[in-house]
Amino acid sequence: GENVEQHPSTLSVQEGDSAVIKCTYSDSASNYFPWYKQELGKGPQLIIDIRSNVGEKKDQRIAVTLNKTAKHFSLHITETQPEDSAVYFCAPAFTGGGNKLTFGTGTQLKVEL
Amino acid sequence: NAGVMQNPRHLVRRRGQEARLRCSPMKGHSHVYWYRQLPEEGLKFMVYLQKENIIDESGMPKERFSAEFPKEGPSILRIQQVVRGDSAAYFCASSPSGGGNNQPQHFGDGTRLSIL
């Protein structure tokens, strides 16, 4: 099965700085790469996703980059704000296999004032 | 424009009792996924259903656990004879269609199950 690792497990940044979280996966068949944000007591919220035929995607302050050869993809958050503080999960999937998401272990991001 | 609705939000059961967790997908969504999250961990896939069909139950324990998504009404995750190790947050997600069409999954806020 898919083995997914995230780094770092915790990340503390100053407000306005950038944050980068890296996700490494093992299944070369994976072709869908989403990032989810989970706040305390809530369900995961999809914040950005990318397909395997695209190397980078940006949505305002959030971007995702994909390196299929090296089997990793990264979440980039620029101009961080306190409300960005949450746990972030990557969850690669092979859509031909029913789109079953395999979640990473999560990264606790803390944005300090 | 309601999202994925799960109820109850919190459920307390004694060992040996049954737990029933409900999930109403987003309007227009016909595919439902159940995941389990233990404290300090990521979500783990349990089962994927379409209306009246179980498509993939590879992540669901063979005993005591069952899931259904009837033609009418919510999807139900049922846990019989609960044990302490079943304590977790259970999340439901829905998508308009299945994996072949690359549809993103949208999650509810979960049911927190506690076993006494």
Side-chain angles (χ1 to χ4, degrees):
Chain A
E2 176 87 276
N3 183 34
V4 181
E5 294 185 359
Q6 274 182 244
H7 295 281
S9 56
T10 59
L11 180 58
S12 187
V13 298
Q14 294 293 315
E15 184 180 9
D17 286 351
S18 295
V20 181
I21 304 169
K22 184 176 178 180
C23 180
T24 305
Y25 60 96
S26 62
D27 188 352
S28 56
S30 292
N31 58 357
Y32 173 62
F33 307 94
W35 283 96
Y36 284 86
K37 174 185 181 183
Q38 187 177 30
E39 297 174 327
L40 197 61
K42 300 275 193 173
Q45 176 193 3
L46 178 68
I47 56 172
I48 197 166
D49 59 10
I50 196 169
R51 318 292 175 182
S52 60
N53 58 343
V54 177
E56 183 175 355
K57 182 178 178 181
K58 190 174 182 181
D59 183 3
Q60 299 182 1
R61 297 187 298 110
I62 295 172
V64 55
T65 57
L66 171 64
N67 185 329
K68 276 217 81 178
T69 303
K71 289 190 278 188
H72 65 73
F73 61 112
S74 297
L75 176 68
H76 305 255
I77 306 174
T78 58
E79 301 172 30
T80 53
Q81 301 167 2
E83 50 265 39
D84 294 330
S85 296
V87 180
Y88 290 82
F89 292 99
C90 62
F94 168 54
T95 57
N99 214 19
K100 174 172 65 180
L101 301 174
T102 301
F103 280 77
T105 47
T107 297
Q108 175 76 61
L109 174 65
K110 184 176 181 181
V111 180
E112 298 176 334
L113 295 170
Chain B
N1 186 20
V4 177
M5 302 300 292
Q6 290 189 248
N7 68 83
R9 291 296 312 277
H10 301 273
L11 182 61
V12 179
R13 285 286 177 267
R14 296 189 180 279
R15 282 178 294 171
Q17 291 185 320
E18 178 180 290
R20 278 180 178 248
L21 288 61
R22 294 174 186 78
C23 170
S24 295
M26 286 179 69
K27 188 177 180 181
H29 287 195
S30 59
H31 295 246
V32 164
Y33 305 78
W34 286 94
Y35 294 80
R36 176 164 63 177
Q37 185 177 35
L38 297 173
E40 310 292 324
E41 294 187 12
L43 283 71
K44 298 282 195 292
F45 169 80
M46 297 181 73
V47 61
Y48 161 38
L49 310 102
Q50 297 175 24
K51 287 281 188 181
E52 300 183 282
N53 279 306
I54 296 175
I55 307 302
D56 181 352
E57 56 182 348
S58 60
M60 198 156 67
K62 295 288 185 287
E63 297 179 355
R64 301 188 299 107
F65 285 72
S66 62
E68 63 176 10
F69 188 16
K71 187 177 181 181
E72 301 290 339
S75 175
I76 305 286
L77 179 67
R78 182 183 177 203
I79 311 173
Q80 295 177 290
Q81 299 173 338
V82 296
V83 300
R84 289 242 170 93
D86 296 332
S87 295
Y90 292 83
F91 291 95
C92 169
S94 72
S95 68
S97 59
N101 290 328
N102 292 356
Q103 295 295 324
Q105 294 177 32
H106 298 272
F107 284 80
D109 282 336
T111 293
R112 273 114 189 118
L113 176 64
S114 297
I115 309 302
L116 303 179

